[in-house]
Amino acid sequence: MAADDEKTLVEILEEHNPIDLSKYINYVSAPQAGAIATFFGTTRDTFDGKEVVELRYEAYVPMAVKCIESICSSARSSWNLHSMAVAHRLGPVPVGETSVFIAVSAVHRADALEACRFVIDEVKASVPIWKKEVYSNGEVWKENSEFLERRLEFGKDVGSCSVKEPEVHNAGEEELLWF
């Protein structure tokens, strides 16, 4: 849905439109990128002992895109990144299917891995995408634990896109040499 000069792609996918993982991996691939970190969240089959049938997502799409772009910009300001891609599905997502996918490329793996984790944590904490868990015997709207923690951190009024500044841990040379 959005791309900028820094090679960032953000897409909120309409109902019944599965995430094409290879599309986003190809988007962030580059000869100068020595690492591509990915995260994909899938619908699991149980939660708290209840059988999950599917998850259903709704969003305020223009604000969700704006928030994700802000999160990506914040990640770029903290890590040396080449390309980023974030995709989130709306509507029903059956068990085993991907609802959110993030791909981040960088020259070095530490930057890609840390930025990828930051992006998913921030997406869950601050982007206006809502999740309903549908069970075999009922359904319930869910708040992400990251959102609840953010609300406690900033007070009750958590506005849209309250992106937390990333905590960057610069690894020493010894840490960068492990495989």
Side-chain angles (χ1 to χ4, degrees):
M1 192 167 243
D4 61 25
D5 295 350
E6 294 183 313
K7 197 142 178 5
T8 299
L9 176 63
V10 174
E11 294 186 328
I12 306 295
L13 305 172
E14 296 302 320
E15 287 193 29
H16 309 294
N17 192 359
I19 296 174
D20 179 356
L21 305 179
S22 62
K23 170 185 174 180
Y24 301 103
I25 292 170
N26 289 336
Y27 181 84
V28 302
S29 295
Q32 62 271 41
I36 296 174
T38 62
F39 172 85
F40 48 103
T42 59
T43 303
R44 61 179 174 257
D45 63 358
T46 56
F47 182 78
D48 281 346
K50 295 180 250 177
E51 181 185 350
V52 175
V53 176
E54 67 184 12
L55 300 177
R56 292 185 192 149
Y57 291 94
E58 294 182 14
Y60 175 43
V61 175
M63 183 60 74
V65 169
K66 181 179 175 184
C67 288
I68 295 170
E69 288 172 342
S70 175
I71 291 165
C72 291
S73 178
S74 187
R76 284 187 177 284
S77 71
S78 299
W79 293 283
N80 185 13
L81 306 177
H82 181 271
S83 303
M84 304 177 75
V86 180
H88 203 300
R89 284 177 68 177
L90 298 181
V93 181
V95 169
E97 291 190 18
T98 302
S99 55
V100 61
F101 183 73
I102 298 164
V104 178
S105 65
V107 173
H108 301 290
R109 73 175 172 267
D111 287 336
L113 289 167
E114 290 172 19
C116 190
R117 176 159 189 164
F118 170 77
V119 171
I120 187 57
D121 288 348
E122 287 302 309
V123 165
K124 292 178 71 68
S126 64
V127 176
I129 297 175
W130 303 281
K131 174 175 72 175
K132 181 188 285 188
E133 287 189 354
V134 180
Y135 308 112
S136 56
N137 62 350
E139 56 189 39
V140 64
W141 286 101
K142 301 290 284 196
E143 284 185 308
N144 289 319
S145 60
E146 295 86 352
F147 175 79
L148 296 173
E149 290 168 9
R150 182 68 49 84
R151 187 168 62 188
L152 291 173
E153 184 178 333
F154 288 121
K156 289 190 177 191
D157 183 26
V158 177
S160 297
C161 256
S162 54
V163 178
K164 185 176 182 180
E165 287 302 312
E167 295 177 19
V168 178
H169 304 285
N170 293 325
E173 280 186 39
E174 313 80 49
E175 293 180 56
L176 295 177
L177 297 177
W178 56 269
F179 293 84

